Amino acid sequence: MPNLPQDGKKVIGYRQAMTLPEQPKKMIVVGSGAIGVEFAHFYNAMGTEVTIVEFMPNVVPVEDEDISKQFERSLKKAGITIMTNSSVERIDTSGNGVKAFVKTAKGEEVLEADILLSAVGIKTNIEKIGLEETGIATDRDKILVNDFYQTNVPGYYAIGDVTPGQALAHVASAEGILCVEKIAGLHVESLDYGNIPGCTYATPEIASVGMTEKQAKEKGYELKIGKFPFSASGKAKASGTPDGFVKVIFDAKYGEWLGCHMIGAGVTDMIAEAVVARKLETTGHEILKAVHPHPTMSEAVMEAVADAYGEVIHL
């Protein structure tokens, strides 16, 4: 997918999408990561006709495939057009709006809209800040740091989106705390980037941590997998939010919690249980035997674990 020029009027980035002078009637969103689908959901909810173009086979492609498929159904139900396995090859902004020439499996298709949002990734802002003069090493648009965020030049540190870790606010915050504690001489452990929760704030919400089912299989694990739908949750049904599910992935041999994936109302608040449990090396058996309150959305975590171990009684 080519780099799309951002002219501030017809082809924009996500920062400009937050300050548009007027609501577009039609919008093309290129890329279906968290930023892309969040803005697609936002503008669709206000009445904008939205089309998402995604190069990969699934929307939100970093998520577990079961999550991606459920989320795509939700987007389509909301009236958003989804084009996967597609790429924008070129654009034309010479007219009143924008034309996007999209390569699909069936050939080229031309989309027309008032505005196009490029959400295919982020770029760090490290130019002209003195890195070249100080000799600080960079690679592929990122500042290189050690486990405690020191650059190759003594006395210089970097955290957040300019470093190779996940570009998330809670990651940057954790990095900043660790960096300062290390400078202060405290004994600290390096951040475990394999246990960082990812959240997508749309309707429904998505939250996940750890490995997807595909990733775990590729690493050779024998798996125990459990799913619990919110349609079987009393709290979810009473709240009018029965869509979605919790999916858990465990190593069958040792019970290690390899991954947790959620889609539904309020799941961005629920994912912390899995993050803490994985940090403490909690097994599936321990989660199963930890009594969860009823009726709550969070008990779906325990129920999903019960399903993984063949002990679920509420399905």
Side-chain angles (χ1 to χ4, degrees):
M1 191 171 292
N3 291 325
L4 301 177
Q6 296 182 15
D7 60 13
K9 296 179 180 179
K10 300 176 183 177
V11 181
I12 61 171
Y14 76 95
R15 294 188 183 279
Q16 293 146 303
M18 293 187 286
T19 57
L20 292 180
E22 60 183 23
Q23 179 186 344
K25 293 181 179 179
K26 290 186 177 182
M27 171 182 280
I28 301 166
V29 177
V30 184
S32 69
I35 291 173
V37 297
E38 285 171 355
F39 276 102
H41 162 70
F42 172 73
Y43 277 100
N44 169 259
M46 293 196 300
T48 298
E49 183 180 326
V50 178
T51 298
I52 296 176
V53 181
E54 171 56 51
F55 179 75
M56 301 296 287
N58 300 310
V59 294
V60 284
V62 301
E63 302 292 346
D64 187 270
E65 287 186 12
D66 287 345
I67 297 291
S68 296
K69 291 174 182 177
Q70 174 70 34
F71 191 62
E72 183 172 336
R73 288 192 290 268
S74 297
L75 292 177
K76 288 180 177 179
K77 186 177 179 180
I80 296 174
T81 301
I82 307 293
M83 298 177 66
T84 51
N85 291 307
S86 303
S87 61
V88 175
E89 298 298 305
R90 57 192 177 92
I91 57 174
D92 180 2
T93 59
S94 60
N96 292 329
V98 58
K99 292 182 179 180
F101 297 82
V102 182
K103 181 181 179 182
T104 72
K106 298 180 180 179
E108 186 175 78
E109 184 173 340
V110 181
L111 304 180
E112 296 188 35
D114 301 310
I115 204 161
L116 183 148
L117 169 62
S118 178
V120 294
I122 63 171
K123 184 185 183 305
T124 60
N125 185 18
I126 60 174
E127 292 81 10
K128 299 180 181 179
I129 61 172
L131 297 184
E132 297 82 5
E133 289 79 4
T134 56
I136 292 175
T138 62
D139 181 47
R140 288 178 291 184
D141 206 37
K142 298 287 186 177
I143 297 174
L144 299 181
V145 293
N146 65 13
D147 287 346
F148 300 103
Y149 314 105
Q150 183 175 15
T151 69
N152 62 305
V153 179
Y156 287 83
Y157 298 80
I159 63 165
D161 296 3
V162 297
T163 63
Q166 295 101 317
L168 299 169
H170 44 282
V171 173
S173 179
E175 289 174 344
I177 292 169
L178 284 177
C179 179
V180 173
E181 288 179 339
K182 184 68 174 180
I183 292 171
L186 301 182
H187 176 72
V188 294
E189 297 179 358
S190 59
L191 196 61
D192 179 5
Y193 288 96
N195 197 35
I196 300 294
C199 298
T200 300
Y201 300 92
T203 300
E205 295 179 359
I206 297 173
S208 61
V209 67
M211 285 183 272
T212 65
E213 179 180 348
K214 181 179 179 181
Q215 289 169 339
K217 286 180 177 178
E218 288 174 348
K219 289 183 177 293
Y221 286 101
E222 182 181 347
L223 304 178
K224 285 186 179 293
I225 297 173
K227 289 177 69 176
F228 190 81
F230 286 122
S231 59
S233 163
K235 178 64 175 292
K237 293 182 71 174
S239 301
T241 54
D243 293 337
F245 58 86
V246 174
K247 177 177 180 178
V248 294
I249 303 167
F250 290 93
D251 171 27
K253 186 175 182 179
Y254 297 111
E256 179 185 358
W257 197 346
L258 300 175
C260 184
H261 308 274
M262 307 175 177
I263 180 169
V267 297
T268 56
D269 296 309
M270 291 168 51
I271 195 63
E273 176 179 353
V275 178
V276 173
R278 280 167 43 82
K279 176 68 174 176
L280 297 175
E281 299 182 352
T282 302
T283 65
H285 177 79
E286 291 167 324
I287 292 293
L288 182 57
K289 298 308 178 184
V291 178
H292 287 56
H294 173 82
T296 61
M297 297 289 284
S298 63
E299 65 183 321
V301 176
M302 178 188 68
E303 298 284 7
V305 176
D307 183 49
Y309 283 86
E311 297 186 24
V312 66
I313 63 173
H314 295 119
L315 283 180

